[in-house]
């Protein structure tokens, strides 16, 4: 049985030893490197207020999680403006500009991220960011977090034939890094992202940044963690080190 992020007991499902020796680590961006969903929600609320969406009543976090979090902008545009896709796409472009302005002041890393960064760099592992976010957003967030020199590749869902939850973005990342999926792990925070990783044949460790555990578990993550400081993660990485030695 898979364990939740609230359970620190070690069992076979939290083990990563089957992927030793590790070659690469792949990260989603929004909600995985940084807790950006509240900023996205605020940007949507600002934009919705301008057009009188939902009769002027601000949408809440639950609405955002169910309909927008982790989804490709084209899909959100179709959901919001099914009868006027061009308007929806323009709305999303404007919303992302608002997001970048807000993020420049408010964006912070997920707890423990820089500790994990050091662990990855010390072992010479390859790494890529794989996201459904627009390139301008992804590059802005990665730069803001001081990770521009850390990532060796950046894969944008919109620049692939298929975005997440299709596995293509993750398969493209391992192709760019020249690593095997049998020796690569993924960090994700959304249902669509975990599904993409699992479909690509790689273990996806889910972060419970904002999305409910029961929803994430439906996507079949290897296990869930609260942050990169989670003892469960470090127990698994310590085991992995021993296996690789």
């Amino acid at each position: 049985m898979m364990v939740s992020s609230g359970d620190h007991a070690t069992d076979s499902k939290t083990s990563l030893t089957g992927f030793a020796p590790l070659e690469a680590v792949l990260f989603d961006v929004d909600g995985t490197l940084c807790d950006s969903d509240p900023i996205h929600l605020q940007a949507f609320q600002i934009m919705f207020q301008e057009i009188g969406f939902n009769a002027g009543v601000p949408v809440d976090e639950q609405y955002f999680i169910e309909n927008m979090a982790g989804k490709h902008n084209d899909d959100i545009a179709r959901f919001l403006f099914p009868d006027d896709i061009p308007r929806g796409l323009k709305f999303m472009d404007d919303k992302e500009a608002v997001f970048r302005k807000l993020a420049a002041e408010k964006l912070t890393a997920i707890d423990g991220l820089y500790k994990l960064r050091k662990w990855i760099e010390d072992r010479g592992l390859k790494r890529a960011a794989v996201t459904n976010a627009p390139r301008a957003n992804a590059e802005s967030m990665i730069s803001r977090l001081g990770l521009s020199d850390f990532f060796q590749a950046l894969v944008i869902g919109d620049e692939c034939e298929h975005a997440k939850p299709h596995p293509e973005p993750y398969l493209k990342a391992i192709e760019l890094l020249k690593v095997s999926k049998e020796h690569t792990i993924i960090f994700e925070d959304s249902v669509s992202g975990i599904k993409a990783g699992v479909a690509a044949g790689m273990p996806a460790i889910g972060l419970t940044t904002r999305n409910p555990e029961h929803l994430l578990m439906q996507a079949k993550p290897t296990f869930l963690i609260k942050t990169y400081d989670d003892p469960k993660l470090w127990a698994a990485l310590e085991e992995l080190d021993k296996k690789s030695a």
Side-chain angles (χ1 to χ4, degrees):
M1 154 178 165
M2 293 189 190
V3 297
S4 76
S5 62
D7 182 355
H8 294 297
T10 301
D11 65 20
S12 60
K13 293 299 183 181
T14 64
S15 176
L16 298 172
T17 56
F19 305 95
L22 199 61
E23 296 176 358
V25 183
L26 310 180
F27 292 85
D28 175 47
V29 178
D30 281 298
T32 300
L33 297 178
C34 48
D35 187 10
S36 52
D37 276 359
I39 307 174
H40 279 290
L41 174 57
Q42 185 179 357
F44 272 116
Q45 289 172 333
I46 290 170
M47 291 297 298
F48 285 153
Q49 200 71 26
E50 287 185 7
I51 64 171
F53 184 82
N54 197 33
V57 179
V59 300
D60 59 14
E61 185 175 9
Q62 187 63 33
Y63 183 90
F64 172 80
I65 289 171
E66 291 176 357
N67 299 297
M68 298 162 189
K71 292 183 171 60
H72 190 273
N73 274 5
D74 288 1
D75 296 327
I76 299 174
R78 291 188 188 95
F79 169 74
L80 293 174
F81 300 93
D83 300 322
D84 192 346
I85 304 304
R87 182 188 179 195
L89 295 173
K90 175 65 165 58
F91 175 90
M92 290 306 300
D93 285 345
D94 292 344
K95 173 260 163 184
E96 298 303 358
V98 173
F99 168 80
R100 287 191 292 274
K101 183 177 179 181
L102 294 171
E105 303 170 356
K106 300 184 175 186
L107 199 70
T108 57
I110 297 291
D111 288 348
L113 176 63
Y114 299 115
K115 177 182 176 183
L116 180 59
R117 171 187 178 168
K118 185 177 187 306
W119 186 91
I120 292 168
E121 289 178 329
D122 286 350
R123 285 152 185 79
L125 304 178
K126 294 185 178 181
R127 52 269 186 185
V130 183
T131 177
N132 274 356
R135 178 169 287 276
N137 281 23
E139 291 179 343
S140 175
M141 286 186 280
I142 289 169
S143 175
R144 171 76 178 168
L145 295 168
L147 297 173
S148 297
D149 294 334
F150 173 69
F151 288 114
Q152 298 155 327
L154 171 60
V155 177
I156 305 296
D158 196 39
E159 297 171 7
C160 300
E161 186 174 347
H162 304 285
K164 304 176 197 177
H166 196 279
E168 182 185 345
Y170 278 116
L171 293 174
K172 183 175 181 180
I174 61 172
E175 181 183 351
L176 289 171
L177 294 178
K178 295 181 171 55
V179 296
S180 67
K181 64 183 180 181
E182 290 81 10
H183 300 288
T184 299
I185 62 174
I186 292 169
F187 288 96
E188 268 284 359
D189 78 301
S190 71
V191 170
S192 66
I194 293 171
K195 283 182 176 179
V198 171
M202 289 174 269
I205 300 168
L207 282 98
T208 59
T209 312
R210 292 284 166 178
N211 293 310
E213 288 188 14
H214 72 277
L215 288 181
L216 295 178
M217 291 303 291
Q218 291 173 15
K220 299 181 171 32
T222 301
F223 57 90
L224 299 179
I225 58 175
K226 292 183 183 298
T227 69
Y228 297 110
D229 283 330
D230 197 312
K232 189 183 321 118
L233 172 62
W234 290 97
L237 295 180
E238 184 178 350
E239 253 191 287
L240 187 59
D241 269 345
K242 289 177 182 176
K243 180 74 173 180
S244 301

